[in-house]
Amino acid sequence: MDENTIKTLYDNWEDILIKHKEDFELPYATFDAFIKALKIVSFEDGILTLSSPENEAAVNLINKKYLRNLQLTVCEYTGRIINVKIISEINKQNTEDVIPPVPEKKSFVPVHNEDSFRLNPNYTFEKFIVGPNNNLAHTVAVAVAEAPASKYNPLLLYGGVGLGKTHLMQAIAHHIMKTQPEKKVLYVTSETFTNELIDYLRTGKKGHNFRNKYRKIDVLLIDDIQFIIGKDQTQEEFFHTFNDLYQYGKQIVLTSDKPPKDMTLPERLQSRFSEGMICDIQIPSYETKRAILDQKIEDRYLHNIPEDVRDYIANNIKSSIRELEGSINTLQAYADLNKSEITLEVAKTALKDLVSQEHNKIISPELIIDIVAEHYNITVSDLLSKKKSTDYSFPRQVSMYLCRNMTQETSKRVGEALGGRDHSTILHGAKQISNELLTNDNLKNTIEILMKKIDPSLNNV
């Protein structure tokens, strides 16, 4: 029995299913109805047995229409030939009598945290590059992950955009879920917290799902807490959630772009934030940037980027890790489009706008596209593609709206940046979002957060 493959399957099962949905562009309804609920029963002799809560007839349909493609996804993800078998939950007991169950092993017990699928699988401690700019934050984060709520509670990580705060926060979540799977861990952005509160209040507070979700957990991690500033009801609900968890000895981890003393917060929230540990993450040194760059290049097998080009990028991209990665994307796309090798001269041409942005901080369509893609957890290539799935088309329209409202560029120029679309498509997409904003409070909140990510000076407005 291949324990490494078993571990890969269990640790990444939700990611595998989401990858399957995206690769084969399954509609939400199909994914939710037939694929999302599939669970691993066993893996033996190269056969992965899955169970479905559906009846026999529905399982027959799944096997007929979706099994082959699902098997392709599993094989691609694990890198080995695996046969997949799907059975009805009703018959699971009979199957277990024949096929030995996967042996229990703490290191790969399936995670049952409902929001764990939102975590980036690459945001682990192993993938985090430690340097003088983040050494203290990393040390404290590891201590919190190994012993939640024993010290450093609450923990607030702060620093500029794209410096690794989210990476460290999610690394804490990954570590706790793997080493202490009995703990309930919840990672959300402040956007999610606010939008779920909006829904809770809109429905007249029917039921207690919102408060149960946020208060009956062991570890709460909220990213970009600065975006709740000025939202009175959200601040009030967060204050009570914070108090409730802190009182019962639960771990709280927060990130923001600045320390509490520089936020316009009510005094009682200022006081709560200051009760624990506050760590800043600074702009990385050249050596740290170079190490991060090398790791990202290695992870993506881009061995065609020579040493002098890596030095050029590390020396000229100064403000964030996000822009380091963006420079790799831009350079590779430029080289592919022009069918050229990557040289220092090619890099200087391809990255001239990005390097100038480092000095002038111009808000360009490319910057907006990068931030929107990251926000919706999709790749830039998917956002620019012809894919019509809502997962990609909606962020695409959001990009059109923001480009129209945050830059002086023409619709033609925006269309070129968005994969060569014509100006009428850009106008239509921007109008769709404008119309939706008239009635959708959740979207209003999301657009506000995106605008502040694109132009951090708006955080002071």
Side-chain angles (χ1 to χ4, degrees), residues 299-400:
D299 287 346
R300 296 169 60 179
Y301 304 103
L302 299 176
H303 304 298
N304 59 332
I305 301 181
E307 292 294 312
D308 58 345
V309 172
R310 300 182 191 202
D311 282 336
Y312 175 77
I313 294 172
N315 275 311
N316 287 280
I317 303 298
K318 303 184 185 301
S319 64
S320 77
I321 297 165
R322 172 192 292 158
E323 284 167 339
L324 277 178
E325 188 159 17
S327 69
I328 301 171
N329 295 336
T330 301
L331 180 56
Q332 192 65 45
Y334 181 90
D336 290 346
L337 185 64
N338 291 279
K339 296 182 172 56
S340 62
E341 290 185 10
I342 294 177
T343 64
L344 182 57
E345 289 308 310
V346 167
K348 288 179 178 179
T349 301
L351 302 178
K352 65 180 188 300
D353 291 337
L354 191 57
V355 170
S356 69
Q357 284 176 33
E358 283 289 315
H359 301 293
N360 302 319
K361 280 299 162 192
I362 299 169
I363 296 176
S364 66
E366 287 77 14
L367 174 66
I368 291 172
I369 290 164
D370 281 345
I371 291 176
V372 171
E374 180 186 57
H375 185 87
Y376 283 99
N377 198 27
I378 62 175
T379 65
V380 170
S381 60
D382 280 335
L383 193 150
L384 301 182
S385 72
K386 304 295 184 184
K387 294 178 180 178
K388 296 183 179 179
S389 166
T390 306
D391 290 351
Y392 311 119
S393 63
F394 189 76
R396 198 177 295 133
Q397 289 184 332
V398 168
S399 299
M400 295 172 188

Side-chain angles (χ1 to χ4, degrees), residues 75-87:
C75 293
E76 180 181 343
Y77 201 99
T78 59
R80 58 168 292 176
I81 301 299
I82 294 176
N83 293 313
V84 178
K85 176 182 179 183
I86 303 175
I87 63 170

Side-chain angles (χ1 to χ4, degrees), residues 93-147:
Q93 185 60 50
N94 294 334
T95 304
E96 288 176 341
D97 292 339
V98 179
I99 302 175
V102 175
E104 292 187 6
K105 193 169 182 178
K106 186 174 182 180
S107 64
F108 54 89
V109 170
V111 172
H112 296 290
N113 294 287
E114 62 178 298
D115 284 76
S116 63
F117 70 91
R118 298 182 183 181
L119 297 176
N120 185 323
N122 293 317
Y123 284 179
T124 62
F125 286 124
E126 291 75 19
K127 293 281 189 180
F128 189 81
I129 301 295
V130 182
N133 65 305
N134 57 29
N135 183 53
L136 176 62
H138 174 264
T139 301
V140 171
V142 170
V144 167
E146 291 179 344

Side-chain angles (χ1 to χ4, degrees), residues 70-348:
L70 179 59
Q71 185 166 297
L72 288 173
T73 302
V74 170
C75 293
E76 180 181 343
Y77 201 99
T78 59
R80 58 168 292 176
I81 301 299
I82 294 176
N83 293 313
V84 178
K85 176 182 179 183
I86 303 175
I87 63 170
S88 171
E89 184 75 29
I90 300 166
N91 296 331
K92 179 180 173 183
Q93 185 60 50
N94 294 334
T95 304
E96 288 176 341
D97 292 339
V98 179
I99 302 175
V102 175
E104 292 187 6
K105 193 169 182 178
K106 186 174 182 180
S107 64
F108 54 89
V109 170
V111 172
H112 296 290
N113 294 287
E114 62 178 298
D115 284 76
S116 63
F117 70 91
R118 298 182 183 181
L119 297 176
N120 185 323
N122 293 317
Y123 284 179
T124 62
F125 286 124
E126 291 75 19
K127 293 281 189 180
F128 189 81
I129 301 295
V130 182
N133 65 305
N134 57 29
N135 183 53
L136 176 62
H138 174 264
T139 301
V140 171
V142 170
V144 167
E146 291 179 344
S150 62
K151 55 182 177 178
Y152 308 134
N153 191 28
L155 170 61
L156 173 65
L157 304 171
Y158 77 89
V161 175
L163 294 181
K165 304 184 299 296
T166 297
H167 187 146
L168 263 187
M169 170 178 271
Q170 292 197 18
I172 293 172
H174 277 300
H175 188 84
I176 294 173
M177 290 191 296
K178 285 188 177 182
T179 60
Q180 302 178 61
E182 73 282 359
K183 288 194 179 296
K184 294 181 180 178
V185 178
L186 177 61
Y187 163 81
V188 294
T189 63
S190 62
E191 174 194 7
T192 299
F193 183 86
T194 302
N195 285 345
E196 290 183 355
L197 177 61
I198 289 170
D199 291 339
Y200 173 66
L201 297 173
R202 183 190 295 126
T203 57
K205 302 184 180 181
K206 293 178 182 177
H208 299 282
N209 290 339
F210 177 84
R211 288 181 177 169
N212 283 340
K213 174 177 179 177
Y214 284 95
R215 300 188 190 185
K216 296 190 179 301
I217 53 174
D218 298 299
V219 183
L220 174 64
L221 307 101
I222 300 184
D223 213 354
D224 288 323
I225 198 67
Q226 73 271 11
F227 292 133
I228 73 168
I229 295 172
K231 298 180 172 72
D232 291 341
Q233 285 183 305
T234 306
Q235 287 182 172
E236 184 73 15
E237 187 63 36
F238 171 75
F239 176 79
H240 292 299
T241 298
F242 186 110
N243 275 356
D244 206 50
L245 292 172
Y246 188 77
Q247 178 182 346
Y248 287 100
K250 308 302 183 182
Q251 179 68 51
I252 302 163
V253 183
L254 309 168
T255 70
S256 74
D257 64 346
K258 60 189 72 172
K261 64 183 180 64
D262 293 338
M263 297 187 208
T264 310
L265 285 170
E267 186 176 342
R268 59 181 183 171
L269 271 180
Q270 287 263 14
S271 174
R272 291 295 183 272
F273 285 177
S274 302
E275 286 173 354
M277 183 70 177
I278 300 173
C279 294
D280 72 324
I281 301 179
Q282 299 172 357
I283 294 173
S285 64
Y286 163 80
E287 291 78 13
T288 306
K289 285 189 292 180
R290 179 58 200 266
I292 293 168
L293 194 65
D294 287 345
Q295 184 187 70
K296 291 187 178 298
I297 289 171
E298 187 68 28
D299 287 346
R300 296 169 60 179
Y301 304 103
L302 299 176
H303 304 298
N304 59 332
I305 301 181
E307 292 294 312
D308 58 345
V309 172
R310 300 182 191 202
D311 282 336
Y312 175 77
I313 294 172
N315 275 311
N316 287 280
I317 303 298
K318 303 184 185 301
S319 64
S320 77
I321 297 165
R322 172 192 292 158
E323 284 167 339
L324 277 178
E325 188 159 17
S327 69
I328 301 171
N329 295 336
T330 301
L331 180 56
Q332 192 65 45
Y334 181 90
D336 290 346
L337 185 64
N338 291 279
K339 296 182 172 56
S340 62
E341 290 185 10
I342 294 177
T343 64
L344 182 57
E345 289 308 310
V346 167
K348 288 179 178 179

